[in-house]
Amino acid sequence: MNRKYYGKVIFELSRPGRVGYSLPKNGCEYKLDEIPSDLLRVKKPNLPEVDEPSVVRHYNNMSTNNFGVDTGFYPLGSCTMKYNPKINEEMASLPAFTSLHPFQSSDTVQGALEAYYKLQSMLSEIGGMAEFTLNPYAGAHGELTGLMVIRAYHESRGDMKRTKVIVPDSAHGTNPASAAVAGLKVVEVKSLPDGTVDVEALKPLLDDTVAAVMMTNPNTVGIFEHNIPTIATLVHDCGALLYYDGANLNPMLGVARPGDMGFDVMHINLHKTFSTPHGGGGPGAGPVGVRAGLEEFLPNPRVVKCKVNEEDGFALEYKTEKRAKSLGRVSSWLGNFAVELRALAYILSLGCDGLRMAGPLATLNANYVKESLRDLYALPIDRVCKHEFVFDGLADKSTGVTTLNVAKRLLDNGFHAPTIYFPLLFHESLMIEPTETESKETLDEFIGVMREIAREAKETPDVVKNAPLLTPIRKPDDTAAALNPVVTFFEL
Ligand SMILES: *Cc1c(COP(=O)(O)O)cnc(C)c1O
Protein backbone atom coordinates (compact mmCIF):
# COMPACT_ATOMS: atom_id res chain seq x y z
CA MET A 1 0.00 0.00 0.00
CA ASN A 2 1.25 3.45 -0.88
CA ARG A 3 1.52 5.17 2.48
CA LYS A 4 1.98 8.67 1.13
CA TYR A 5 -1.67 8.75 0.05
CA TYR A 6 -2.95 7.91 3.50
CA GLY A 7 -5.66 10.29 4.53
CA LYS A 8 -5.14 12.68 1.60
CA VAL A 9 -7.99 14.08 -0.39
CA ILE A 10 -7.75 14.75 -4.10
CA PHE A 11 -7.73 18.54 -3.61
CA GLU A 12 -4.39 18.27 -1.82
CA LEU A 13 -2.87 16.88 -5.03
CA SER A 14 -4.14 19.85 -7.05
CA ARG A 15 -1.59 22.10 -8.85
CA PRO A 16 -2.79 25.23 -10.71
CA GLY A 17 -3.12 24.64 -14.43
CA ARG A 18 -2.45 20.92 -14.33
CA VAL A 19 -4.91 18.92 -16.50
CA GLY A 20 -5.66 15.28 -17.06
CA TYR A 21 -7.18 15.59 -20.55
CA SER A 22 -6.40 17.04 -23.95
CA LEU A 23 -9.24 18.15 -26.18
CA PRO A 24 -8.82 19.35 -29.77
CA LYS A 25 -8.50 23.13 -29.84
CA ASN A 26 -10.70 23.61 -32.94
CA GLY A 27 -13.99 22.40 -34.21
CA CYS A 28 -15.72 20.87 -31.25
CA GLU A 29 -15.99 23.73 -28.78
CA TYR A 30 -19.35 25.36 -28.25
CA LYS A 31 -19.56 28.97 -29.17
CA LEU A 32 -20.45 30.79 -25.99
CA ASP A 33 -23.39 32.59 -27.62
CA GLU A 34 -25.03 29.19 -28.33
CA ILE A 35 -25.43 28.59 -24.58
CA PRO A 36 -28.24 30.49 -22.84
CA SER A 37 -26.64 33.12 -20.65
CA ASP A 38 -28.42 31.95 -17.50
CA LEU A 39 -26.70 28.58 -17.88
CA LEU A 40 -23.20 30.03 -18.23
CA ARG A 41 -20.87 29.79 -15.27
CA VAL A 42 -19.81 33.09 -13.84
CA LYS A 43 -16.68 31.68 -12.24
CA LYS A 44 -14.53 28.65 -12.80
CA PRO A 45 -15.62 25.60 -10.82
CA ASN A 46 -13.38 24.84 -7.89
CA LEU A 47 -12.24 21.45 -9.09
CA PRO A 48 -8.93 19.73 -8.36
CA GLU A 49 -6.37 20.28 -11.11
CA VAL A 50 -4.56 16.98 -11.46
CA ASP A 51 -2.93 14.82 -14.10
CA GLU A 52 -4.43 11.46 -15.05
CA PRO A 53 -1.86 9.18 -13.32
CA SER A 54 -2.34 11.08 -10.06
CA VAL A 55 -6.11 10.62 -10.24
CA VAL A 56 -5.83 6.91 -11.04
CA ARG A 57 -3.29 6.30 -8.26
CA HIS A 58 -5.20 8.38 -5.76
CA TYR A 59 -8.43 6.43 -6.16
CA ASN A 60 -6.74 3.05 -6.42
CA ASN A 61 -4.79 3.69 -3.23
CA MET A 62 -7.87 4.99 -1.47
CA SER A 63 -9.79 1.87 -2.50
CA THR A 64 -7.19 -0.36 -0.85
CA ASN A 65 -7.69 1.46 2.46
CA ASN A 66 -11.08 -0.18 2.72
CA PHE A 67 -11.54 -3.19 4.93
CA GLY A 68 -14.01 -5.82 3.82
CA VAL A 69 -14.79 -9.48 4.21
CA ASP A 70 -12.87 -9.98 0.95
CA THR A 71 -9.69 -8.55 2.52
CA GLY A 72 -9.70 -9.94 6.04
CA PHE A 73 -11.36 -11.59 9.04
CA TYR A 74 -14.43 -9.65 10.16
CA PRO A 75 -15.72 -11.06 13.48
CA LEU A 76 -18.34 -8.33 13.92
CA GLY A 77 -20.77 -9.91 16.37
CA SER A 78 -24.47 -9.67 15.48
CA CYS A 79 -23.66 -8.85 11.84
CA THR A 80 -22.80 -12.33 10.47
CA MET A 81 -20.04 -11.12 8.16
CA LYS A 82 -19.74 -14.42 6.35
CA TYR A 83 -17.94 -14.71 3.04
CA ASN A 84 -20.01 -13.60 0.02
CA PRO A 85 -19.52 -16.37 -2.56
CA LYS A 86 -18.67 -15.02 -5.99
CA ILE A 87 -21.06 -17.44 -7.70
CA ASN A 88 -23.83 -15.27 -6.18
CA GLU A 89 -22.44 -12.22 -7.97
CA GLU A 90 -22.19 -14.10 -11.24
CA MET A 91 -25.79 -15.28 -11.07
CA ALA A 92 -27.11 -11.83 -10.15
CA SER A 93 -25.20 -10.25 -13.04
CA LEU A 94 -26.56 -12.53 -15.76
CA PRO A 95 -27.79 -10.22 -18.53
CA ALA A 96 -31.10 -12.12 -18.48
CA PHE A 97 -31.67 -10.47 -15.09
CA THR A 98 -29.77 -7.20 -15.37
CA SER A 99 -31.31 -6.14 -18.68
CA LEU A 100 -34.89 -6.42 -17.46
CA HIS A 101 -37.06 -3.36 -16.99
CA PRO A 102 -39.50 -3.24 -14.09
CA PHE A 103 -42.29 -2.08 -16.39
CA GLN A 104 -42.01 -5.14 -18.64
CA SER A 105 -45.19 -7.18 -18.84
CA SER A 106 -44.99 -10.28 -16.72
CA ASP A 107 -45.27 -12.73 -19.63
CA THR A 108 -41.86 -11.46 -20.84
CA VAL A 109 -40.13 -11.98 -17.45
CA GLN A 110 -41.27 -15.45 -16.50
CA GLY A 111 -37.76 -16.62 -15.57
CA ALA A 112 -37.20 -13.72 -13.17
CA LEU A 113 -40.62 -14.25 -11.59
CA GLU A 114 -39.87 -17.94 -11.20
CA ALA A 115 -36.60 -17.15 -9.38
CA TYR A 116 -38.50 -14.76 -7.12
CA TYR A 117 -41.23 -17.31 -6.48
CA LYS A 118 -38.66 -19.99 -5.66
CA LEU A 119 -37.02 -17.79 -3.05
CA GLN A 120 -40.42 -16.94 -1.49
CA SER A 121 -41.14 -20.67 -1.23
CA MET A 122 -37.69 -21.71 -0.01
CA LEU A 123 -37.65 -19.11 2.76
CA SER A 124 -41.12 -20.28 3.82
CA GLU A 125 -39.79 -23.83 4.02
CA ILE A 126 -36.63 -22.78 5.89
CA GLY A 127 -38.57 -20.61 8.36
CA GLY A 128 -41.52 -22.97 8.78
CA MET A 129 -43.89 -20.21 7.71
CA ALA A 130 -46.90 -20.22 5.39
CA GLU A 131 -45.73 -17.36 3.21
CA PHE A 132 -42.90 -14.87 2.76
CA THR A 133 -42.78 -11.41 1.25
CA LEU A 134 -39.45 -10.36 -0.26
CA ASN A 135 -40.36 -6.67 -0.33
CA PRO A 136 -38.55 -5.17 2.72
CA TYR A 137 -35.05 -3.76 2.22
CA ALA A 138 -33.36 -4.61 5.54
CA GLY A 139 -33.79 -6.36 8.85
CA ALA A 140 -35.11 -3.21 10.48
CA HIS A 141 -37.49 -2.67 7.55
CA GLY A 142 -38.63 -6.29 7.97
CA GLU A 143 -39.31 -5.67 11.66
CA LEU A 144 -41.38 -2.62 10.81
CA THR A 145 -43.29 -4.56 8.14
CA GLY A 146 -43.83 -7.51 10.50
CA LEU A 147 -45.13 -5.25 13.25
CA MET A 148 -47.43 -3.52 10.76
CA VAL A 149 -48.78 -6.96 9.85
CA ILE A 150 -49.35 -7.65 13.55
CA ARG A 151 -51.12 -4.32 14.02
CA ALA A 152 -53.29 -4.97 10.96
CA TYR A 153 -54.17 -8.41 12.34
CA HIS A 154 -55.33 -7.04 15.73
CA GLU A 155 -57.20 -4.17 14.11
CA SER A 156 -58.95 -6.52 11.67
CA ARG A 157 -60.43 -8.27 14.72
CA GLY A 158 -61.52 -4.97 16.25
CA ASP A 159 -58.98 -5.47 19.02
CA MET A 160 -57.77 -1.87 19.25
CA LYS A 161 -56.31 -1.93 22.77
CA ARG A 162 -53.12 -3.73 21.79
CA THR A 163 -50.55 -0.97 21.61
CA LYS A 164 -47.53 -2.45 23.41
CA VAL A 165 -44.58 -4.48 22.19
CA ILE A 166 -42.48 -6.39 24.71
CA VAL A 167 -38.77 -6.49 23.90
CA PRO A 168 -36.00 -8.21 25.92
CA ASP A 169 -33.28 -5.98 27.41
CA SER A 170 -30.75 -7.86 25.27
CA ALA A 171 -32.56 -6.99 22.02
CA HIS A 172 -30.95 -5.29 19.08
CA GLY A 173 -31.66 -1.55 19.03
CA THR A 174 -33.74 -1.90 15.89
CA ASN A 175 -36.46 -3.83 17.82
CA PRO A 176 -37.63 -0.94 20.01
CA ALA A 177 -37.00 1.50 17.16
CA SER A 178 -39.21 -0.46 14.74
CA ALA A 179 -41.93 -0.80 17.36
CA ALA A 180 -41.90 2.96 17.92
CA VAL A 181 -42.04 3.67 14.17
CA ALA A 182 -44.97 1.24 13.89
CA GLY A 183 -46.79 3.43 16.44
CA LEU A 184 -46.46 0.90 19.28
CA LYS A 185 -45.19 1.39 22.82
CA VAL A 186 -42.07 -0.47 23.94
CA VAL A 187 -41.95 -2.40 27.22
CA GLU A 188 -38.68 -4.02 28.25
CA VAL A 189 -38.40 -7.46 29.81
CA LYS A 190 -35.31 -8.44 31.81
CA SER A 191 -32.88 -11.26 31.10
CA LEU A 192 -31.58 -13.77 33.63
CA PRO A 193 -27.86 -13.95 34.45
CA ASP A 194 -27.58 -16.88 32.00
CA GLY A 195 -28.56 -14.49 29.18
CA THR A 196 -32.04 -15.87 28.46
CA VAL A 197 -35.31 -14.00 28.88
CA ASP A 198 -36.74 -14.15 32.41
CA VAL A 199 -40.08 -15.94 31.94
CA GLU A 200 -41.24 -14.98 35.45
CA ALA A 201 -40.59 -11.30 34.65
CA LEU A 202 -42.46 -11.68 31.37
CA LYS A 203 -45.65 -13.14 32.87
CA PRO A 204 -46.94 -10.01 34.66
CA LEU A 205 -46.34 -7.91 31.53
CA LEU A 206 -48.68 -10.01 29.40
CA ASP A 207 -52.22 -8.65 29.19
CA ASP A 208 -54.79 -7.55 26.62
CA THR A 209 -52.80 -4.41 25.73
CA VAL A 210 -49.87 -6.36 24.31
CA ALA A 211 -49.71 -6.60 20.51
CA ALA A 212 -46.53 -8.65 20.26
CA VAL A 213 -43.46 -10.00 21.98
CA MET A 214 -40.24 -9.77 19.94
CA MET A 215 -37.62 -12.44 20.51
CA THR A 216 -34.28 -13.25 18.95
CA ASN A 217 -33.15 -16.87 19.05
CA PRO A 218 -30.32 -17.50 19.57
CA ASN A 219 -30.41 -14.15 21.29
CA THR A 220 -27.93 -11.31 20.92
CA VAL A 221 -25.56 -12.85 23.49
CA GLY A 222 -25.46 -16.00 21.36
CA ILE A 223 -27.48 -18.11 23.79
CA PHE A 224 -30.27 -20.44 22.67
CA GLU A 225 -33.60 -19.40 24.25
CA HIS A 226 -34.77 -22.81 25.43
CA ASN A 227 -38.02 -21.46 26.91
CA ILE A 228 -39.57 -20.43 23.60
CA PRO A 229 -42.38 -23.05 23.69
CA THR A 230 -43.44 -21.82 27.16
CA ILE A 231 -43.14 -18.20 26.08
CA ALA A 232 -45.16 -18.91 22.89
CA THR A 233 -47.98 -20.43 24.94
CA LEU A 234 -48.02 -17.49 27.38
CA VAL A 235 -47.98 -14.95 24.55
CA HIS A 236 -50.75 -16.67 22.60
CA ASP A 237 -52.85 -17.16 25.73
CA CYS A 238 -52.94 -13.40 26.20
CA GLY A 239 -53.96 -12.90 22.56
CA ALA A 240 -50.67 -11.39 21.41
CA LEU A 241 -48.40 -12.60 18.61
CA LEU A 242 -44.78 -13.77 18.83
CA TYR A 243 -42.27 -12.07 16.53
CA TYR A 244 -38.99 -13.71 15.56
CA ASP A 245 -36.07 -11.39 14.85
CA GLY A 246 -34.33 -13.67 12.36
CA ALA A 247 -31.02 -11.82 12.26
CA ASN A 248 -29.53 -14.77 14.14
CA LEU A 249 -31.04 -17.50 12.01
CA ASN A 250 -27.62 -18.65 10.78
CA PRO A 251 -26.93 -21.28 13.49
CA MET A 252 -30.46 -22.67 13.11
CA LEU A 253 -30.48 -23.15 9.33
CA GLY A 254 -32.03 -26.48 8.45
CA VAL A 255 -31.91 -27.54 12.11
CA ALA A 256 -34.77 -25.68 13.79
CA ARG A 257 -37.55 -23.56 12.33
CA PRO A 258 -39.10 -20.51 14.00
CA GLY A 259 -42.53 -21.60 12.73
CA ASP A 260 -42.21 -24.90 14.58
CA MET A 261 -41.19 -23.07 17.77
CA GLY A 262 -44.46 -21.13 17.81
CA PHE A 263 -43.44 -17.85 16.19
CA ASP A 264 -46.15 -16.09 14.16
CA VAL A 265 -44.16 -13.53 12.20
CA MET A 266 -40.45 -13.35 11.38
CA HIS A 267 -37.88 -11.60 9.24
CA ILE A 268 -34.64 -12.85 7.76
CA ASN A 269 -31.60 -10.72 6.96
CA LEU A 270 -30.44 -12.01 3.58
CA HIS A 271 -27.22 -9.97 4.06
CA LYS A 272 -26.44 -12.00 7.15
CA THR A 273 -27.61 -15.61 6.98
CA PHE A 274 -27.83 -15.84 3.20
CA SER A 275 -24.39 -14.43 2.36
CA THR A 276 -25.39 -11.37 0.37
CA PRO A 277 -23.11 -8.35 0.79
CA HIS A 278 -23.78 -5.80 3.51
CA GLY A 279 -22.61 -3.09 1.16
CA GLY A 280 -21.53 -0.38 3.57
CA GLY A 281 -24.97 -0.14 5.10
CA GLY A 282 -26.30 -0.34 1.58
CA PRO A 283 -28.37 -2.86 -0.26
CA GLY A 284 -29.73 -5.61 1.96
CA ALA A 285 -33.03 -7.41 2.17
CA GLY A 286 -35.28 -8.32 5.07
CA PRO A 287 -37.97 -10.75 3.83
CA VAL A 288 -40.87 -11.27 6.24
CA GLY A 289 -42.67 -14.55 6.81
CA VAL A 290 -45.99 -15.25 8.51
CA ARG A 291 -47.75 -18.34 9.76
CA ALA A 292 -50.96 -19.58 8.19
CA GLY A 293 -53.82 -17.17 8.79
CA LEU A 294 -51.74 -13.99 8.50
CA GLU A 295 -50.87 -14.17 4.76
CA GLU A 296 -53.59 -11.73 3.75
CA PHE A 297 -51.89 -8.89 5.66
CA LEU A 298 -48.51 -9.20 3.94
CA PRO A 299 -47.45 -6.37 1.66
CA ASN A 300 -47.62 -6.60 -2.12
CA PRO A 301 -46.57 -7.18 -4.84
CA ARG A 302 -45.82 -10.85 -4.47
CA VAL A 303 -45.30 -13.46 -7.14
CA VAL A 304 -48.00 -16.10 -7.54
CA LYS A 305 -48.37 -19.16 -9.74
CA CYS A 306 -50.92 -18.81 -12.53
CA LYS A 307 -51.63 -19.68 -16.14
CA VAL A 308 -49.68 -17.62 -18.66
CA ASN A 309 -50.75 -18.18 -22.28
CA GLU A 310 -52.43 -21.38 -21.10
CA GLU A 311 -49.24 -22.75 -19.60
CA ASP A 312 -48.07 -22.88 -15.99
CA GLY A 313 -46.39 -19.62 -15.18
CA PHE A 314 -46.05 -16.74 -12.72
CA ALA A 315 -47.59 -13.34 -12.23
CA LEU A 316 -47.30 -10.36 -9.92
CA GLU A 317 -50.17 -9.91 -7.51
CA TYR A 318 -50.88 -6.45 -6.16
CA LYS A 319 -53.22 -5.22 -3.48
CA THR A 320 -56.54 -6.19 -4.95
CA GLU A 321 -60.03 -6.83 -3.72
CA LYS A 322 -58.96 -10.38 -3.03
CA ARG A 323 -56.03 -9.12 -0.98
CA ALA A 324 -57.85 -6.08 0.41
CA LYS A 325 -56.23 -6.45 3.83
CA SER A 326 -52.70 -6.36 2.39
CA LEU A 327 -50.46 -3.59 3.68
CA GLY A 328 -49.87 -2.67 0.04
CA ARG A 329 -46.46 -1.38 -0.85
CA VAL A 330 -43.63 -1.13 1.67
CA SER A 331 -40.95 -0.73 -1.01
CA SER A 332 -40.58 0.28 -4.61
CA TRP A 333 -41.05 -2.53 -7.14
CA LEU A 334 -40.36 -6.00 -5.75
CA GLY A 335 -37.74 -5.13 -3.14
CA ASN A 336 -34.03 -5.63 -3.72
CA PHE A 337 -34.27 -8.10 -6.59
CA ALA A 338 -30.53 -8.39 -7.25
CA VAL A 339 -29.93 -9.19 -3.57
CA GLU A 340 -32.69 -11.79 -3.64
CA LEU A 341 -31.05 -13.47 -6.64
CA ARG A 342 -27.79 -13.71 -4.68
CA ALA A 343 -29.59 -15.36 -1.77
CA LEU A 344 -31.29 -17.82 -4.12
CA ALA A 345 -27.90 -18.67 -5.68
CA TYR A 346 -26.52 -19.27 -2.18
CA ILE A 347 -29.36 -21.61 -1.19
CA LEU A 348 -29.19 -23.54 -4.46
CA SER A 349 -25.41 -23.88 -4.39
CA LEU A 350 -25.34 -25.13 -0.79
CA GLY A 351 -28.39 -27.35 -1.11
CA CYS A 352 -30.12 -28.88 1.91
CA ASP A 353 -27.04 -30.64 3.25
CA GLY A 354 -24.81 -27.61 2.80
CA LEU A 355 -27.30 -25.30 4.52
CA ARG A 356 -27.53 -27.74 7.40
CA MET A 357 -23.76 -27.56 7.90
CA ALA A 358 -23.56 -23.78 8.16
CA GLY A 359 -25.05 -23.54 11.66
CA PRO A 360 -23.04 -26.29 13.37
CA LEU A 361 -19.80 -24.97 11.81
CA ALA A 362 -20.57 -21.39 12.88
CA THR A 363 -21.32 -22.71 16.37
CA LEU A 364 -18.14 -24.78 16.47
CA ASN A 365 -16.02 -21.80 15.35
CA ALA A 366 -17.55 -19.49 17.97
CA ASN A 367 -17.05 -21.97 20.80
CA TYR A 368 -13.48 -22.68 19.64
CA VAL A 369 -12.56 -18.99 19.81
CA LYS A 370 -14.38 -18.55 23.14
CA GLU A 371 -12.67 -21.50 24.80
CA SER A 372 -9.26 -20.45 23.45
CA LEU A 373 -9.49 -16.99 25.02
CA ARG A 374 -11.54 -17.42 28.21
CA ASP A 375 -8.46 -17.49 30.46
CA LEU A 376 -7.56 -13.93 29.39
CA TYR A 377 -10.96 -12.33 28.69
CA ALA A 378 -13.92 -12.11 31.09
CA LEU A 379 -16.73 -14.47 30.13
CA PRO A 380 -19.90 -13.30 31.91
CA ILE A 381 -22.11 -16.02 30.42
CA ASP A 382 -20.28 -19.29 30.71
CA ARG A 383 -22.31 -21.63 28.53
CA VAL A 384 -22.03 -23.34 25.19
CA CYS A 385 -22.88 -20.54 22.78
CA LYS A 386 -24.36 -20.66 19.32
CA HIS A 387 -22.83 -18.57 16.52
CA GLU A 388 -21.47 -15.75 18.72
CA PHE A 389 -20.54 -14.89 22.28
CA VAL A 390 -19.72 -11.90 24.44
CA PHE A 391 -16.63 -11.15 26.53
CA ASP A 392 -16.81 -8.43 29.15
CA GLY A 393 -13.39 -6.96 28.32
CA LEU A 394 -10.07 -8.27 29.57
CA ALA A 395 -10.15 -10.54 32.61
CA ASP A 396 -7.44 -8.46 34.29
CA LYS A 397 -9.07 -5.07 34.82
CA SER A 398 -6.05 -3.63 36.67
CA THR A 399 -4.27 -2.54 33.48
CA GLY A 400 -6.91 0.09 32.59
CA VAL A 401 -7.03 -1.28 29.05
CA THR A 402 -10.61 -1.09 27.78
CA THR A 403 -12.61 -2.96 25.17
CA LEU A 404 -12.24 0.06 22.89
CA ASN A 405 -8.43 -0.19 23.20
CA VAL A 406 -8.47 -3.92 22.40
CA ALA A 407 -10.69 -3.28 19.37
CA LYS A 408 -8.36 -0.54 18.07
CA ARG A 409 -5.27 -2.69 18.62
CA LEU A 410 -6.88 -5.46 16.52
CA LEU A 411 -6.95 -3.00 13.60
CA ASP A 412 -3.15 -2.66 13.85
CA ASN A 413 -3.00 -6.42 13.40
CA GLY A 414 -5.10 -6.50 10.25
CA PHE A 415 -8.37 -7.71 11.76
CA HIS A 416 -11.71 -5.96 11.82
CA ALA A 417 -12.82 -5.30 15.37
CA PRO A 418 -15.62 -7.30 16.95
CA THR A 419 -18.79 -5.46 17.94
CA ILE A 420 -18.05 -3.42 21.06
CA TYR A 421 -20.23 -2.03 23.86
CA PHE A 422 -23.19 -4.05 22.57
CA PRO A 423 -25.17 -5.77 23.98
CA LEU A 424 -25.73 -3.26 26.74
CA LEU A 425 -25.93 -5.98 29.40
CA PHE A 426 -22.21 -5.62 30.25
CA HIS A 427 -19.91 -2.61 30.65
CA GLU A 428 -17.12 -3.82 28.36
CA SER A 429 -18.98 -5.97 25.83
CA LEU A 430 -16.81 -7.44 23.09
CA MET A 431 -19.02 -9.51 20.87
CA ILE A 432 -17.35 -12.02 18.60
CA GLU A 433 -18.96 -13.85 15.68
CA PRO A 434 -16.43 -15.73 13.55
CA THR A 435 -19.02 -17.31 11.15
CA GLU A 436 -18.66 -20.72 9.49
CA THR A 437 -16.66 -19.51 6.49
CA GLU A 438 -13.33 -19.02 8.33
CA SER A 439 -10.58 -21.61 8.36
CA LYS A 440 -8.94 -22.91 11.53
CA GLU A 441 -5.75 -21.08 10.49
CA THR A 442 -7.57 -17.74 10.42
CA LEU A 443 -9.22 -18.41 13.77
CA ASP A 444 -5.86 -19.41 15.28
CA GLU A 445 -4.25 -16.25 13.96
CA PHE A 446 -7.02 -14.16 15.53
CA ILE A 447 -6.75 -16.04 18.82
CA GLY A 448 -2.98 -15.48 18.76
CA VAL A 449 -3.40 -11.73 18.27
CA MET A 450 -6.05 -11.49 21.01
CA ARG A 451 -3.68 -13.29 23.40
CA GLU A 452 -0.82 -11.02 22.36
CA ILE A 453 -2.98 -7.93 23.05
CA ALA A 454 -3.76 -9.29 26.53
CA ARG A 455 -0.01 -9.67 27.12
CA GLU A 456 0.66 -6.13 25.82
CA ALA A 457 -2.07 -4.82 28.12
CA LYS A 458 -0.02 -6.08 31.05
CA GLU A 459 3.49 -5.29 29.83
CA THR A 460 3.11 -2.19 27.62
CA PRO A 461 -0.43 -0.91 28.30
CA ASP A 462 0.26 2.45 26.63
CA VAL A 463 0.79 0.74 23.28
CA VAL A 464 -2.72 -0.71 23.46
CA LYS A 465 -4.23 2.50 24.87
CA ASN A 466 -2.76 4.53 22.00
CA ALA A 467 -3.81 2.11 19.27
CA PRO A 468 -4.33 2.15 16.39
CA LEU A 469 -0.81 3.09 15.43
CA LEU A 470 -0.73 1.75 11.88
CA THR A 471 -4.06 2.71 10.27
CA PRO A 472 -4.38 5.59 7.75
CA ILE A 473 -6.38 7.56 10.29
CA ARG A 474 -5.60 7.03 13.98
CA LYS A 475 -8.44 7.57 16.42
CA PRO A 476 -11.21 9.79 15.03
CA ASP A 477 -13.42 11.73 17.41
CA ASP A 478 -16.59 9.64 16.93
CA THR A 479 -18.83 12.09 18.75
CA ALA A 480 -17.67 15.14 16.80
CA ALA A 481 -17.90 13.17 13.55
CA ALA A 482 -21.52 12.30 14.31
CA LEU A 483 -22.54 15.72 15.63
CA ASN A 484 -20.62 17.88 13.21
CA PRO A 485 -19.83 15.90 10.06
CA VAL A 486 -17.70 17.60 7.43
CA VAL A 487 -18.79 15.89 4.25
CA THR A 488 -17.06 18.08 1.65
CA PHE A 489 -13.45 19.25 1.52
CA PHE A 490 -14.55 22.79 0.79
CA GLU A 491 -17.31 24.54 -1.08
CA LEU A 492 -17.37 23.95 -4.82
C1 LIG B 1 -28.59 -6.86 12.28
C2 LIG B 1 -29.67 -7.05 13.24
C3 LIG B 1 -30.89 -6.38 13.08
C4 LIG B 1 -31.13 -5.29 12.04
O1 LIG B 1 -30.94 -5.70 10.74
P1 LIG B 1 -30.54 -4.67 9.60
O2 LIG B 1 -30.59 -5.49 8.37
O3 LIG B 1 -29.19 -4.16 9.94
O4 LIG B 1 -31.57 -3.58 9.58
C5 LIG B 1 -31.91 -6.68 13.97
N1 LIG B 1 -31.73 -7.56 14.97
C6 LIG B 1 -30.56 -8.21 15.17
C7 LIG B 1 -30.42 -9.19 16.29
C8 LIG B 1 -29.49 -7.97 14.32
O5 LIG B 1 -28.32 -8.59 14.52
Side-chain angles (χ1 to χ4, degrees), residues 19 71 97 120 157-158 161 296 333 361 381 392 395 438 454 476:
V19 287
T71 59
F97 291 126
Q120 283 178 175
R157 301 162 62 241
K161 293 187 301 298
E296 57 184 343
W333 310 111
L361 283 179
I381 296 175
D392 190 9
E438 298 301 329

Side-chain angles (χ1 to χ4, degrees), residues 118-263:
K118 274 198 167 138
L119 186 61
Q120 283 178 175
S121 315
M122 285 176 181
L123 294 182
S124 302
E125 182 64 33
I126 289 169
M129 292 283 155
E131 191 173 326
F132 255 88
T133 170
L134 307 184
N135 293 173
Y137 287 130
H141 193 196
E143 290 168 29
L144 175 62
T145 305
L147 290 169
M148 285 163 67
V149 165
I150 290 173
R151 255 188 81 149
Y153 160 76
H154 290 308
E155 284 171 9
S156 77
R157 301 162 62 241
D159 194 351
M160 313 304 270
K161 293 187 301 298
R162 298 190 180 268
T163 52
K164 289 188 207 151
V165 175
I166 299 178
V167 173
D169 56 1
S170 64
H172 195 270
T174 49
N175 289 188
S178 307
V181 175
L184 298 161
K185 204 172 147 264
V186 180
V187 180
E188 198 176 88
V189 59
K190 294 260 163 288
S191 301
L192 292 167
D194 74 354
T196 59
V197 164
D198 185 347
V199 179
E200 291 311 314
L202 177 65
K203 281 180 186 166
L205 302 177
L206 292 170
D207 59 25
D208 62 358
T209 63
V210 176
V213 176
M214 296 179 89
M215 297 276 301
T216 310
N217 194 23
N219 61 27
T220 61
V221 281
I223 298 295
F224 187 78
E225 295 274 2
H226 51 90
N227 282 325
I228 294 289
T230 313
I231 292 173
T233 307
L234 290 169
V235 170
H236 292 146
D237 283 352
C238 93
L241 298 185
L242 191 57
Y243 184 92
Y244 181 76
D245 176 340
N248 292 351
L249 186 68
N250 200 40
M252 319 279 270
L253 270 186
V255 181
R257 307 192 308 170
D260 299 336
M261 291 178 213
F263 285 97

Side-chain angles (χ1 to χ4, degrees), residues 330-351:
V330 297
S331 59
S332 53
W333 310 111
L334 291 165
N336 246 331
F337 183 52
V339 170
E340 284 142 13
L341 288 173
R342 287 173 172 85
L344 179 63
Y346 178 74
I347 296 173
L348 291 174
S349 53
L350 260 68

Side-chain angles (χ1 to χ4, degrees), residues 413-450:
N413 286 279
F415 290 117
H416 197 283
T419 294
I420 57 172
Y421 300 110
F422 177 82
L424 308 175
L425 297 176
F426 315 109
H427 284 301
E428 292 288 323
S429 286
L430 188 72
M431 188 185 193
I432 298 175
E433 179 180 9
T435 82
E436 72 279 11
T437 55
E438 298 301 329
S439 66
K440 179 161 182 298
E441 289 71 25
T442 302
L443 299 181
D444 284 338
E445 219 183 303
F446 175 74
I447 290 162
V449 167
M450 286 289 281

